[in-house]
Amino acid sequence: MDIKGLVPLDEHSLINTAKANTGLDDFGDDSWYEPFKVLVRALNEEAQLNLMGRLMTRSDLLLFLEARLNLEETYKRNPEIEDEQIEKPLIIVGQGRSGTTFLQNMLAADPNNGTITNWEVMFPCPPPEKTTYQGDPRIQKADRLITQWNRVTPEIESMHEFAGPLPTENIHLHCLAFRSPGWLTLLGQIPSYVQYMRTQDAALPYEYEKRVLKLLQWKNPRRQWVLKSPYTLTQMPDVLRVYPDACFIWTHRDPVRSLASVVNLIGTFYWMRTDHPFTADSLTQLTNAELSAGMLGLPIEWLENGSLPRSQLFNIQYQDFVRDPIGTAEQIYRAFDIELTPAGRQAMQTHVSENVRSNRPAHRYEFGSEELVSRERAAFKRYQEYFQVPDEV
């Protein structure tokens, strides 16, 4: 079967289909086009996608293109959206599998807070409205699409929860700028795209993110945005160029445990789109201990040289968070001088009570040999000592 001919992923087919589906042709400024071209070339030449992989990836790319077309059209018709202000966003960082998702979901339960949800990334236009936000029909439409991942690979349900109304990472939103090595590499193993993105201005995806946030809060005001991305650990000074008053929350967990879990998660994502094994070439910074340790060391350097103000970073030990999630939230609010209302506290408490981790299947993975664990422990020594992160393995 000629699956490349049956499911084309070339730039012209994708762009023309997106234009035909929306009746629009203006993608805004051209900053998206070059990374888009690099991405689709890598998907065709490197990812070795099978039929299911090409079907899923074409669907994903069309969603991003169509969302961008609709967003730019909305801005043209409503230029006053640009006047919206994004102030003091809370940005959760930290290695994957260190409690960042649960923390984001818990903080998002506070009615004063807002976060990016899967359905808003997939279908941001027309801009969500406060009166219809909870019952917007796009929620179910997005849910059917993103839970397709679980139906193709049921193991994913034990690793990470996906649903239309659930919060997602801001790197998902960066896909509308096609500048998201963190999320777009889940579509396939594309090392040339990852290498290309290392040469790019890291602030650009956050600038487009800010443009989308303004649109999302235009008719549905959010007092406090709660964002999340492990990739932000490598870009914090760049983020401060876009959000000078950003408040970073770093969850710390034994990096040896986190690393093993991330490798297992990413390998499973690739398995649903390709018949070829995960080589880690695309995501070595998250899967290689030495490179991952280098990533965790960057914020230490920034703290020491003043590029990252200590007052704009709040550190959380994973085990402390698990033991007392509401107490942790109280500390975050105090640290950044944010009011925690009784309604906000109650909403977060309800979320914690109704979302016990044991309600989902256990995520099982291997740590490797004692020699491997010892080598990884040595690589992470500086990070663990600096932030007093305890061993779990």
Side-chain angles (χ1 to χ4, degrees), residues 361-393:
H363 179 196
R364 305 185 186 284
Y365 48 91
E366 302 293 331
F367 295 104
S369 66
E370 288 186 14
E371 180 184 358
L372 175 62
V373 171
S374 178
R375 189 165 63 246
E376 292 178 348
R377 183 70 65 208
F380 291 121
K381 181 179 179 181
R382 184 188 183 210
Y383 160 71
Q384 287 193 257
E385 289 183 348
Y386 193 91
F387 291 106
Q388 299 182 323
V389 182
D391 294 352
E392 293 184 49
V393 179

PDB file of all heavy atoms in Angstrom, residues 361-393:
ATOM      1  N   PRO A 361      -5.191   3.025  36.271  1.00  0.00           N
ATOM      2  CA  PRO A 361      -4.237   1.917  36.326  1.00  0.00           C
ATOM      3  C   PRO A 361      -2.843   2.400  36.713  1.00  0.00           C
ATOM      4  O   PRO A 361      -2.459   3.528  36.408  1.00  0.00           O
ATOM      5  CB  PRO A 361      -4.255   1.376  34.892  1.00  0.00           C
ATOM      6  CG  PRO A 361      -5.554   1.843  34.312  1.00  0.00           C
ATOM      7  CD  PRO A 361      -5.850   3.154  34.969  1.00  0.00           C
ATOM      8  N   ALA A 362      -2.084   1.548  37.380  1.00  0.00           N
ATOM      9  CA  ALA A 362      -0.727   1.905  37.788  1.00  0.00           C
ATOM     10  C   ALA A 362       0.196   1.973  36.578  1.00  0.00           C
ATOM     11  O   ALA A 362       0.081   1.178  35.649  1.00  0.00           O
ATOM     12  CB  ALA A 362      -0.205   0.879  38.786  1.00  0.00           C
ATOM     13  N   HIS A 363       1.109   2.946  36.598  1.00  0.00           N
ATOM     14  CA  HIS A 363       2.112   3.087  35.532  1.00  0.00           C
ATOM     15  C   HIS A 363       3.350   2.304  35.961  1.00  0.00           C
ATOM     16  O   HIS A 363       4.024   2.665  36.919  1.00  0.00           O
ATOM     17  CB  HIS A 363       2.453   4.571  35.326  1.00  0.00           C
ATOM     18  CG  HIS A 363       3.478   4.794  34.267  1.00  0.00           C
ATOM     19  ND1 HIS A 363       4.172   5.983  34.139  1.00  0.00           N
ATOM     20  CD2 HIS A 363       3.962   3.978  33.287  1.00  0.00           C
ATOM     21  CE1 HIS A 363       5.003   5.901  33.116  1.00  0.00           C
ATOM     22  NE2 HIS A 363       4.900   4.688  32.596  1.00  0.00           N
ATOM     23  N   ARG A 364       3.674   1.226  35.231  1.00  0.00           N
ATOM     24  CA  ARG A 364       4.793   0.366  35.594  1.00  0.00           C
ATOM     25  C   ARG A 364       5.928   0.552  34.596  1.00  0.00           C
ATOM     26  O   ARG A 364       5.700   0.609  33.387  1.00  0.00           O
ATOM     27  CB  ARG A 364       4.345  -1.094  35.639  1.00  0.00           C
ATOM     28  CG  ARG A 364       3.149  -1.313  36.574  1.00  0.00           C
ATOM     29  CD  ARG A 364       2.785  -2.769  36.720  1.00  0.00           C
ATOM     30  NE  ARG A 364       1.574  -2.956  37.481  1.00  0.00           N
ATOM     31  CZ  ARG A 364       1.468  -2.853  38.799  1.00  0.00           C
ATOM     32  NH1 ARG A 364       2.541  -2.567  39.511  1.00  0.00           N
ATOM     33  NH2 ARG A 364       0.309  -3.024  39.411  1.00  0.00           N
ATOM     34  N   TYR A 365       7.154   0.631  35.094  1.00  0.00           N
ATOM     35  CA  TYR A 365       8.312   0.824  34.230  1.00  0.00           C
ATOM     36  C   TYR A 365       9.563   0.347  34.965  1.00  0.00           C
ATOM     37  O   TYR A 365       9.556   0.155  36.184  1.00  0.00           O
ATOM     38  CB  TYR A 365       8.471   2.297  33.831  1.00  0.00           C
ATOM     39  CG  TYR A 365       8.365   3.271  34.982  1.00  0.00           C
ATOM     40  CD1 TYR A 365       9.491   3.668  35.695  1.00  0.00           C
ATOM     41  CD2 TYR A 365       7.126   3.785  35.376  1.00  0.00           C
ATOM     42  CE1 TYR A 365       9.405   4.549  36.759  1.00  0.00           C
ATOM     43  CE2 TYR A 365       7.027   4.673  36.440  1.00  0.00           C
ATOM     44  CZ  TYR A 365       8.165   5.050  37.122  1.00  0.00           C
ATOM     45  OH  TYR A 365       8.071   5.918  38.178  1.00  0.00           O
ATOM     46  N   GLU A 366      10.641   0.144  34.204  1.00  0.00           N
ATOM     47  CA  GLU A 366      11.895  -0.357  34.750  1.00  0.00           C
ATOM     48  C   GLU A 366      12.897   0.786  34.934  1.00  0.00           C
ATOM     49  O   GLU A 366      12.885   1.763  34.183  1.00  0.00           O
ATOM     50  CB  GLU A 366      12.487  -1.420  33.816  1.00  0.00           C
ATOM     51  CG  GLU A 366      11.574  -2.613  33.570  1.00  0.00           C
ATOM     52  CD  GLU A 366      11.354  -3.448  34.823  1.00  0.00           C
ATOM     53  OE1 GLU A 366      12.269  -3.460  35.682  1.00  0.00           O
ATOM     54  OE2 GLU A 366      10.289  -4.069  34.942  1.00  0.00           O
ATOM     55  N   PHE A 367      13.804   0.622  35.921  1.00  0.00           N
ATOM     56  CA  PHE A 367      14.834   1.632  36.173  1.00  0.00           C
ATOM     57  C   PHE A 367      16.168   1.281  35.535  1.00  0.00           C
ATOM     58  O   PHE A 367      17.046   2.127  35.434  1.00  0.00           O
ATOM     59  CB  PHE A 367      15.039   1.814  37.688  1.00  0.00           C
ATOM     60  CG  PHE A 367      13.845   2.366  38.390  1.00  0.00           C
ATOM     61  CD1 PHE A 367      13.033   1.550  39.143  1.00  0.00           C
ATOM     62  CD2 PHE A 367      13.527   3.713  38.272  1.00  0.00           C
ATOM     63  CE1 PHE A 367      11.912   2.063  39.788  1.00  0.00           C
ATOM     64  CE2 PHE A 367      12.418   4.232  38.912  1.00  0.00           C
ATOM     65  CZ  PHE A 367      11.605   3.402  39.677  1.00  0.00           C
ATOM     66  N   GLY A 368      16.331   0.037  35.112  1.00  0.00           N
ATOM     67  CA  GLY A 368      17.595  -0.383  34.540  1.00  0.00           C
ATOM     68  C   GLY A 368      18.492  -1.016  35.597  1.00  0.00           C
ATOM     69  O   GLY A 368      18.115  -1.192  36.756  1.00  0.00           O
ATOM     70  N   SER A 369      19.717  -1.346  35.199  1.00  0.00           N
ATOM     71  CA  SER A 369      20.654  -2.039  36.078  1.00  0.00           C
ATOM     72  C   SER A 369      21.145  -1.120  37.195  1.00  0.00           C
ATOM     73  O   SER A 369      21.015   0.103  37.122  1.00  0.00           O
ATOM     74  CB  SER A 369      21.851  -2.519  35.260  1.00  0.00           C
ATOM     75  OG  SER A 369      22.585  -1.401  34.767  1.00  0.00           O
ATOM     76  N   GLU A 370      21.726  -1.736  38.209  1.00  0.00           N
ATOM     77  CA  GLU A 370      22.311  -0.957  39.303  1.00  0.00           C
ATOM     78  C   GLU A 370      23.410  -0.032  38.783  1.00  0.00           C
ATOM     79  O   GLU A 370      23.566   1.094  39.258  1.00  0.00           O
ATOM     80  CB  GLU A 370      22.875  -1.903  40.371  1.00  0.00           C
ATOM     81  CG  GLU A 370      21.815  -2.631  41.187  1.00  0.00           C
ATOM     82  CD  GLU A 370      22.428  -3.440  42.312  1.00  0.00           C
ATOM     83  OE1 GLU A 370      23.632  -3.208  42.606  1.00  0.00           O
ATOM     84  OE2 GLU A 370      21.728  -4.281  42.885  1.00  0.00           O
ATOM     85  N   GLU A 371      24.163  -0.518  37.808  1.00  0.00           N
ATOM     86  CA  GLU A 371      25.227   0.294  37.224  1.00  0.00           C
ATOM     87  C   GLU A 371      24.660   1.536  36.542  1.00  0.00           C
ATOM     88  O   GLU A 371      25.194   2.642  36.697  1.00  0.00           O
ATOM     89  CB  GLU A 371      26.024  -0.531  36.217  1.00  0.00           C
ATOM     90  CG  GLU A 371      27.160   0.240  35.555  1.00  0.00           C
ATOM     91  CD  GLU A 371      27.876  -0.579  34.493  1.00  0.00           C
ATOM     92  OE1 GLU A 371      27.515  -1.761  34.300  1.00  0.00           O
ATOM     93  OE2 GLU A 371      28.775  -0.021  33.835  1.00  0.00           O
ATOM     94  N   LEU A 372      23.550   1.349  35.806  1.00  0.00           N
ATOM     95  CA  LEU A 372      22.915   2.478  35.124  1.00  0.00           C
ATOM     96  C   LEU A 372      22.382   3.486  36.141  1.00  0.00           C
ATOM     97  O   LEU A 372      22.586   4.701  36.000  1.00  0.00           O
ATOM     98  CB  LEU A 372      21.780   1.990  34.225  1.00  0.00           C
ATOM     99  CG  LEU A 372      20.952   3.081  33.532  1.00  0.00           C
ATOM    100  CD1 LEU A 372      21.842   3.904  32.600  1.00  0.00           C
ATOM    101  CD2 LEU A 372      19.783   2.469  32.759  1.00  0.00           C
ATOM    102  N   VAL A 373      21.703   2.995  37.175  1.00  0.00           N
ATOM    103  CA  VAL A 373      21.160   3.887  38.202  1.00  0.00           C
ATOM    104  C   VAL A 373      22.285   4.652  38.888  1.00  0.00           C
ATOM    105  O   VAL A 373      22.176   5.862  39.149  1.00  0.00           O
ATOM    106  CB  VAL A 373      20.336   3.088  39.233  1.00  0.00           C
ATOM    107  CG1 VAL A 373      19.963   3.973  40.426  1.00  0.00           C
ATOM    108  CG2 VAL A 373      19.077   2.516  38.585  1.00  0.00           C
ATOM    109  N   SER A 374      23.394   3.975  39.154  1.00  0.00           N
ATOM    110  CA  SER A 374      24.531   4.633  39.806  1.00  0.00           C
ATOM    111  C   SER A 374      25.114   5.725  38.915  1.00  0.00           C
ATOM    112  O   SER A 374      25.458   6.814  39.397  1.00  0.00           O
ATOM    113  CB  SER A 374      25.605   3.593  40.121  1.00  0.00           C
ATOM    114  OG  SER A 374      26.737   4.203  40.702  1.00  0.00           O
ATOM    115  N   ARG A 375      25.202   5.453  37.620  1.00  0.00           N
ATOM    116  CA  ARG A 375      25.725   6.455  36.691  1.00  0.00           C
ATOM    117  C   ARG A 375      24.792   7.660  36.602  1.00  0.00           C
ATOM    118  O   ARG A 375      25.233   8.818  36.577  1.00  0.00           O
ATOM    119  CB  ARG A 375      25.927   5.821  35.313  1.00  0.00           C
ATOM    120  CG  ARG A 375      26.670   6.704  34.333  1.00  0.00           C
ATOM    121  CD  ARG A 375      27.173   5.925  33.132  1.00  0.00           C
ATOM    122  NE  ARG A 375      26.101   5.358  32.338  1.00  0.00           N
ATOM    123  CZ  ARG A 375      25.873   4.055  32.209  1.00  0.00           C
ATOM    124  NH1 ARG A 375      26.649   3.177  32.862  1.00  0.00           N
ATOM    125  NH2 ARG A 375      24.892   3.591  31.471  1.00  0.00           N
ATOM    126  N   GLU A 376      23.503   7.402  36.573  1.00  0.00           N
ATOM    127  CA  GLU A 376      22.533   8.494  36.518  1.00  0.00           C
ATOM    128  C   GLU A 376      22.552   9.299  37.817  1.00  0.00           C
ATOM    129  O   GLU A 376      22.467  10.531  37.798  1.00  0.00           O
ATOM    130  CB  GLU A 376      21.129   7.934  36.253  1.00  0.00           C
ATOM    131  CG  GLU A 376      20.974   7.343  34.857  1.00  0.00           C
ATOM    132  CD  GLU A 376      19.601   6.746  34.627  1.00  0.00           C
ATOM    133  OE1 GLU A 376      18.845   6.579  35.614  1.00  0.00           O
ATOM    134  OE2 GLU A 376      19.282   6.447  33.460  1.00  0.00           O
ATOM    135  N   ARG A 377      22.714   8.601  38.940  1.00  0.00           N
ATOM    136  CA  ARG A 377      22.738   9.294  40.228  1.00  0.00           C
ATOM    137  C   ARG A 377      23.916  10.264  40.282  1.00  0.00           C
ATOM    138  O   ARG A 377      23.788  11.398  40.779  1.00  0.00           O
ATOM    139  CB  ARG A 377      22.833   8.260  41.352  1.00  0.00           C
ATOM    140  CG  ARG A 377      22.807   8.849  42.743  1.00  0.00           C
ATOM    141  CD  ARG A 377      21.450   9.407  43.087  1.00  0.00           C
ATOM    142  NE  ARG A 377      20.429   8.394  43.161  1.00  0.00           N
ATOM    143  CZ  ARG A 377      19.143   8.613  42.910  1.00  0.00           C
ATOM    144  NH1 ARG A 377      18.727   9.818  42.528  1.00  0.00           N
ATOM    145  NH2 ARG A 377      18.245   7.648  42.997  1.00  0.00           N
ATOM    146  N   ALA A 378      25.046   9.848  39.739  1.00  0.00           N
ATOM    147  CA  ALA A 378      26.217  10.720  39.724  1.00  0.00           C
ATOM    148  C   ALA A 378      25.977  11.947  38.844  1.00  0.00           C
ATOM    149  O   ALA A 378      26.390  13.061  39.180  1.00  0.00           O
ATOM    150  CB  ALA A 378      27.434   9.938  39.223  1.00  0.00           C
ATOM    151  N   ALA A 379      25.291  11.738  37.712  1.00  0.00           N
ATOM    152  CA  ALA A 379      25.020  12.856  36.801  1.00  0.00           C
ATOM    153  C   ALA A 379      24.125  13.901  37.462  1.00  0.00           C
ATOM    154  O   ALA A 379      24.296  15.110  37.245  1.00  0.00           O
ATOM    155  CB  ALA A 379      24.374  12.335  35.523  1.00  0.00           C
ATOM    156  N   PHE A 380      23.191  13.446  38.295  1.00  0.00           N
ATOM    157  CA  PHE A 380      22.218  14.364  38.897  1.00  0.00           C
ATOM    158  C   PHE A 380      22.661  14.896  40.270  1.00  0.00           C
ATOM    159  O   PHE A 380      21.882  15.569  40.938  1.00  0.00           O
ATOM    160  CB  PHE A 380      20.866  13.665  39.042  1.00  0.00           C
ATOM    161  CG  PHE A 380      20.177  13.382  37.736  1.00  0.00           C
ATOM    162  CD1 PHE A 380      19.852  12.073  37.379  1.00  0.00           C
ATOM    163  CD2 PHE A 380      19.853  14.409  36.866  1.00  0.00           C
ATOM    164  CE1 PHE A 380      19.200  11.810  36.186  1.00  0.00           C
ATOM    165  CE2 PHE A 380      19.212  14.153  35.671  1.00  0.00           C
ATOM    166  CZ  PHE A 380      18.883  12.848  35.324  1.00  0.00           C
ATOM    167  N   LYS A 381      23.884  14.591  40.671  1.00  0.00           N
ATOM    168  CA  LYS A 381      24.327  14.929  42.026  1.00  0.00           C
ATOM    169  C   LYS A 381      24.207  16.423  42.314  1.00  0.00           C
ATOM    170  O   LYS A 381      23.677  16.821  43.368  1.00  0.00           O
ATOM    171  CB  LYS A 381      25.771  14.472  42.224  1.00  0.00           C
ATOM    172  CG  LYS A 381      26.307  14.764  43.627  1.00  0.00           C
ATOM    173  CD  LYS A 381      27.738  14.271  43.802  1.00  0.00           C
ATOM    174  CE  LYS A 381      28.254  14.597  45.196  1.00  0.00           C
ATOM    175  NZ  LYS A 381      29.654  14.143  45.388  1.00  0.00           N
ATOM    176  N   ARG A 382      24.681  17.263  41.409  1.00  0.00           N
ATOM    177  CA  ARG A 382      24.660  18.706  41.679  1.00  0.00           C
ATOM    178  C   ARG A 382      23.237  19.210  41.853  1.00  0.00           C
ATOM    179  O   ARG A 382      22.937  19.980  42.782  1.00  0.00           O
ATOM    180  CB  ARG A 382      25.344  19.466  40.535  1.00  0.00           C
ATOM    181  CG  ARG A 382      25.438  20.974  40.828  1.00  0.00           C
ATOM    182  CD  ARG A 382      25.917  21.735  39.632  1.00  0.00           C
ATOM    183  NE  ARG A 382      26.081  23.163  39.954  1.00  0.00           N
ATOM    184  CZ  ARG A 382      25.936  24.129  39.069  1.00  0.00           C
ATOM    185  NH1 ARG A 382      25.615  23.868  37.805  1.00  0.00           N
ATOM    186  NH2 ARG A 382      26.091  25.391  39.432  1.00  0.00           N
ATOM    187  N   TYR A 383      22.338  18.786  40.973  1.00  0.00           N
ATOM    188  CA  TYR A 383      20.936  19.214  41.060  1.00  0.00           C
ATOM    189  C   TYR A 383      20.319  18.776  42.383  1.00  0.00           C
ATOM    190  O   TYR A 383      19.679  19.575  43.084  1.00  0.00           O
ATOM    191  CB  TYR A 383      20.154  18.647  39.881  1.00  0.00           C
ATOM    192  CG  TYR A 383      18.656  18.610  40.098  1.00  0.00           C
ATOM    193  CD1 TYR A 383      17.910  19.786  40.109  1.00  0.00           C
ATOM    194  CD2 TYR A 383      17.991  17.404  40.311  1.00  0.00           C
ATOM    195  CE1 TYR A 383      16.530  19.758  40.322  1.00  0.00           C
ATOM    196  CE2 TYR A 383      16.623  17.372  40.519  1.00  0.00           C
ATOM    197  CZ  TYR A 383      15.903  18.546  40.528  1.00  0.00           C
ATOM    198  OH  TYR A 383      14.552  18.516  40.756  1.00  0.00           O
ATOM    199  N   GLN A 384      20.501  17.505  42.749  1.00  0.00           N
ATOM    200  CA  GLN A 384      19.866  17.000  43.970  1.00  0.00           C
ATOM    201  C   GLN A 384      20.409  17.680  45.218  1.00  0.00           C
ATOM    202  O   GLN A 384      19.656  17.957  46.155  1.00  0.00           O
ATOM    203  CB  GLN A 384      20.046  15.478  44.064  1.00  0.00           C
ATOM    204  CG  GLN A 384      19.185  14.719  43.070  1.00  0.00           C
ATOM    205  CD  GLN A 384      19.137  13.236  43.369  1.00  0.00           C
ATOM    206  OE1 GLN A 384      19.792  12.442  42.711  1.00  0.00           O
ATOM    207  NE2 GLN A 384      18.371  12.853  44.379  1.00  0.00           N
ATOM    208  N   GLU A 385      21.704  17.949  45.229  1.00  0.00           N
ATOM    209  CA  GLU A 385      22.284  18.618  46.397  1.00  0.00           C
ATOM    210  C   GLU A 385      21.839  20.071  46.487  1.00  0.00           C
ATOM    211  O   GLU A 385      21.553  20.578  47.575  1.00  0.00           O
ATOM    212  CB  GLU A 385      23.816  18.530  46.334  1.00  0.00           C
ATOM    213  CG  GLU A 385      24.356  17.134  46.583  1.00  0.00           C
ATOM    214  CD  GLU A 385      25.873  17.102  46.577  1.00  0.00           C
ATOM    215  OE1 GLU A 385      26.502  18.116  46.162  1.00  0.00           O
ATOM    216  OE2 GLU A 385      26.441  16.063  46.992  1.00  0.00           O
ATOM    217  N   TYR A 386      21.759  20.751  45.346  1.00  0.00           N
ATOM    218  CA  TYR A 386      21.402  22.168  45.337  1.00  0.00           C
ATOM    219  C   TYR A 386      19.995  22.377  45.853  1.00  0.00           C
ATOM    220  O   TYR A 386      19.722  23.307  46.628  1.00  0.00           O
ATOM    221  CB  TYR A 386      21.544  22.733  43.924  1.00  0.00           C
ATOM    222  CG  TYR A 386      21.503  24.255  43.857  1.00  0.00           C
ATOM    223  CD1 TYR A 386      22.671  24.998  43.948  1.00  0.00           C
ATOM    224  CD2 TYR A 386      20.302  24.937  43.686  1.00  0.00           C
ATOM    225  CE1 TYR A 386      22.654  26.382  43.871  1.00  0.00           C
ATOM    226  CE2 TYR A 386      20.272  26.318  43.622  1.00  0.00           C
ATOM    227  CZ  TYR A 386      21.451  27.041  43.707  1.00  0.00           C
ATOM    228  OH  TYR A 386      21.411  28.416  43.650  1.00  0.00           O
ATOM    229  N   PHE A 387      19.064  21.486  45.423  1.00  0.00           N
ATOM    230  CA  PHE A 387      17.658  21.662  45.813  1.00  0.00           C
ATOM    231  C   PHE A 387      17.224  20.654  46.889  1.00  0.00           C
ATOM    232  O   PHE A 387      16.037  20.561  47.197  1.00  0.00           O
ATOM    233  CB  PHE A 387      16.753  21.540  44.583  1.00  0.00           C
ATOM    234  CG  PHE A 387      16.908  22.681  43.609  1.00  0.00           C
ATOM    235  CD1 PHE A 387      17.587  22.487  42.411  1.00  0.00           C
ATOM    236  CD2 PHE A 387      16.403  23.934  43.890  1.00  0.00           C
ATOM    237  CE1 PHE A 387      17.743  23.536  41.509  1.00  0.00           C
ATOM    238  CE2 PHE A 387      16.542  24.976  43.008  1.00  0.00           C
ATOM    239  CZ  PHE A 387      17.221  24.776  41.811  1.00  0.00           C
ATOM    240  N   GLN A 388      18.180  19.885  47.403  1.00  0.00           N
ATOM    241  CA  GLN A 388      17.917  18.922  48.470  1.00  0.00           C
ATOM    242  C   GLN A 388      16.799  17.943  48.081  1.00  0.00           C
ATOM    243  O   GLN A 388      15.839  17.734  48.835  1.00  0.00           O
ATOM    244  CB  GLN A 388      17.571  19.647  49.774  1.00  0.00           C
ATOM    245  CG  GLN A 388      18.690  20.552  50.268  1.00  0.00           C
ATOM    246  CD  GLN A 388      18.362  21.240  51.581  1.00  0.00           C
ATOM    247  OE1 GLN A 388      17.231  21.629  51.833  1.00  0.00           O
ATOM    248  NE2 GLN A 388      19.365  21.399  52.439  1.00  0.00           N
ATOM    249  N   VAL A 389      16.958  17.355  46.913  1.00  0.00           N
ATOM    250  CA  VAL A 389      15.969  16.403  46.389  1.00  0.00           C
ATOM    251  C   VAL A 389      16.330  14.991  46.854  1.00  0.00           C
ATOM    252  O   VAL A 389      17.424  14.507  46.550  1.00  0.00           O
ATOM    253  CB  VAL A 389      15.929  16.448  44.847  1.00  0.00           C
ATOM    254  CG1 VAL A 389      14.869  15.496  44.317  1.00  0.00           C
ATOM    255  CG2 VAL A 389      15.665  17.874  44.374  1.00  0.00           C
ATOM    256  N   PRO A 390      15.479  14.308  47.586  1.00  0.00           N
ATOM    257  CA  PRO A 390      15.817  12.979  48.122  1.00  0.00           C
ATOM    258  C   PRO A 390      15.758  11.889  47.050  1.00  0.00           C
ATOM    259  O   PRO A 390      15.053  12.008  46.049  1.00  0.00           O
ATOM    260  CB  PRO A 390      14.729  12.753  49.185  1.00  0.00           C
ATOM    261  CG  PRO A 390      13.562  13.556  48.700  1.00  0.00           C
ATOM    262  CD  PRO A 390      14.151  14.771  48.048  1.00  0.00           C
ATOM    263  N   ASP A 391      16.525  10.815  47.280  1.00  0.00           N
ATOM    264  CA  ASP A 391      16.478   9.639  46.409  1.00  0.00           C
ATOM    265  C   ASP A 391      15.165   8.885  46.627  1.00  0.00           C
ATOM    266  O   ASP A 391      14.651   8.815  47.738  1.00  0.00           O
ATOM    267  CB  ASP A 391      17.622   8.680  46.720  1.00  0.00           C
ATOM    268  CG  ASP A 391      18.995   9.272  46.401  1.00  0.00           C
ATOM    269  OD1 ASP A 391      19.033  10.361  45.797  1.00  0.00           O
ATOM    270  OD2 ASP A 391      20.003   8.650  46.768  1.00  0.00           O
ATOM    271  N   GLU A 392      14.648   8.286  45.541  1.00  0.00           N
ATOM    272  CA  GLU A 392      13.487   7.391  45.652  1.00  0.00           C
ATOM    273  C   GLU A 392      13.817   6.006  45.113  1.00  0.00           C
ATOM    274  O   GLU A 392      12.989   5.101  45.195  1.00  0.00           O
ATOM    275  CB  GLU A 392      12.296   7.970  44.879  1.00  0.00           C
ATOM    276  CG  GLU A 392      11.729   9.248  45.447  1.00  0.00           C
ATOM    277  CD  GLU A 392      10.498   9.697  44.671  1.00  0.00           C
ATOM    278  OE1 GLU A 392       9.601   8.872  44.453  1.00  0.00           O
ATOM    279  OE2 GLU A 392      10.466  10.883  44.271  1.00  0.00           O
ATOM    280  N   VAL A 393      14.980   5.852  44.515  1.00  0.00           N
ATOM    281  CA  VAL A 393      15.364   4.578  43.892  1.00  0.00           C
ATOM    282  C   VAL A 393      16.587   4.035  44.604  1.00  0.00           C
ATOM    283  O   VAL A 393      17.559   4.773  44.819  1.00  0.00           O
ATOM    284  CB  VAL A 393      15.692   4.781  42.400  1.00  0.00           C
ATOM    285  CG1 VAL A 393      16.126   3.450  41.776  1.00  0.00           C
ATOM    286  CG2 VAL A 393      14.483   5.348  41.666  1.00  0.00           C
TER     287      VAL A 393
END
